[in-house]
């Protein structure tokens, strides 16, 4: 079992992760079509795109055809696909544009991958911002006060809290100040404040989770013609009951059988056996988290404690091999 200090150091590395973004105004909304200068920023992977809308609206204001548009009218697309605003930007990049995950566990791309003048370069990630023609069939509209985003985040926290503890009493018992503070800590990338509040929700290290809050995002076939995401979710306990473990894997201690620790590999094999026929070795696909390949042997609960996104969920992207 990893120590709290080790888990915290991994969590800090996750929160320090950033993505270079190049955001352009939709040509159809610009008075000078596609000659508008792009907005460049190094943005935290754990953050959410709508948090950029106020500064983007101000930056592109001189070029907008419609001067009456508001920041909360803004939405983002990548290669024509509207991006789900309730998903962290790091997850969106891994889903739509991320290169093969780094084998050494680093999220930093090689300098050779950075070429702002090369449209084919994976970085900076080139996005388009729109302030009109909201895609109502695919995205829930935002509001000027930011409450739609806040409520979506807190609801996601509640779902993760329920899976971890078997009850959502933890998040429900938070004070209004702490509930708002949790979301503000993610917005501000304020890890100390986040850790203070999230420690109220997380069971102590000596108390295992009831279930692992994990969602698996699957790649869509190139000819699917659909921008929808395929997500797999199932209650996964932090340990595998002895009855479901092969006899060769059972551990005998003083005449009793101990459960096997649930790893990323065993969880993926349980949820997606066709893609992950082996519990130990990636054969057809590999799991990706925060831009890096996740070791199949990593204990699932420890990965959640150190590497979950701000809402408490472990969002794993499946990357096909070969």
């Amino acid at each position: 079992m990893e120590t709290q200090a080790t888990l915290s150091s991994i969590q800090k590395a996750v929160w320090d992760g950033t993505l270079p973004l190049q955001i352009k105004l939709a040509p159809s909304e610009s008075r000078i079509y596609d000659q508008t200068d792009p907005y460049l920023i190094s943005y935290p992977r754990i953050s959410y795109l709508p948090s950029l809308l106020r500064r983007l609206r101000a930056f592109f204001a001189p070029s907008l055809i419609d001067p009456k548009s508001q920041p909360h009218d803004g939405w983002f697309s990548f290669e024509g696909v509207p991006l789900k605003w309730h998903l962290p930007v790091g997850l969106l990049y891994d889903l739509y544009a991320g290169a093969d995950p780094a084998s050494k566990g680093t999220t930093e791309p090689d300098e050779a991958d950075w070429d702002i003048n090369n449209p084919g370069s994976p970085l900076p990630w080139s996005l388009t911002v729109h302030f009109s023609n909201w895609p109502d069939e695919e995205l829930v509209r935002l509001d000027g006060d930011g409450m739609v985003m806040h409520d979506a985040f807190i609801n996601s926290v509640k779902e993760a809290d329920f899976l971890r503890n078997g009850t959502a009493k933890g998040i429900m018992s938070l004070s209004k100040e702490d509930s708002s503070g949790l979301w503000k800590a993610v917005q501000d990338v304020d890890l100390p404040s986040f850790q203070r509040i999230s420690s109220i929700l997380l069971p102590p290290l000596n108390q295992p989770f009831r279930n692992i809050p994990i969602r698996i995002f699957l790649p869509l076939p190139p000819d699917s013609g659909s921008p929808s995401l395929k997500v797999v979710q199932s209650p996964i306990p932090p340990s595998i009951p002895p009855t479901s473990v092969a006899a060769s894997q059972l551990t005998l201690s003083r005449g009793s059988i101990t459960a096997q620790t649930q790893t990323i590999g065993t969880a993926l094999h349980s949820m997606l056996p066709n893609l992950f026929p082996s519990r130990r070795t990636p054969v057809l696909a590999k799991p990706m988290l925060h831009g890096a390949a996740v070791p199949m042997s990593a204990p699932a609960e420890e990965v959640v404690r150190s590497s979950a996104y701000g809402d408490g969920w472990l969002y794993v992207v499946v990357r096909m091999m070969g």
Side-chain angles (χ1 to χ4, degrees), residues 54-71:
R54 287 193 179 278
R55 64 182 84 175
L56 288 172
R57 176 61 178 76
F59 179 81
F60 289 119
S63 302
L64 285 171
I65 292 176
D66 180 9
K68 296 182 180 179
S69 63
Q70 300 297 313

Side-chain angles (χ1 to χ4, degrees), residues 50 53 71-76 82-87 133-144 147-153 155:
L53 286 174
H72 63 270
D73 293 325
W75 56 281
F76 298 83
L83 297 177
K84 305 291 186 183
W85 54 256
H86 66 283
L87 298 179
N133 300 317
W134 186 278
D136 288 295
E137 294 184 359
E138 298 172 59
L139 301 178
V140 174
R141 284 186 176 267
L142 299 171
D143 67 306
M147 289 309 299
V148 171
M149 274 201 71
H150 170 272
D151 292 348
F153 175 81
N155 285 337

Side-chain angles (χ1 to χ4, degrees), residues 187-203:
Q187 287 182 300
D188 297 342
V189 197
D190 181 354
L191 182 55
S193 295
F194 176 83
Q195 289 174 327
R196 179 189 67 80
I197 302 171
S198 65
S199 65
I200 302 172
L201 306 177
L202 286 175

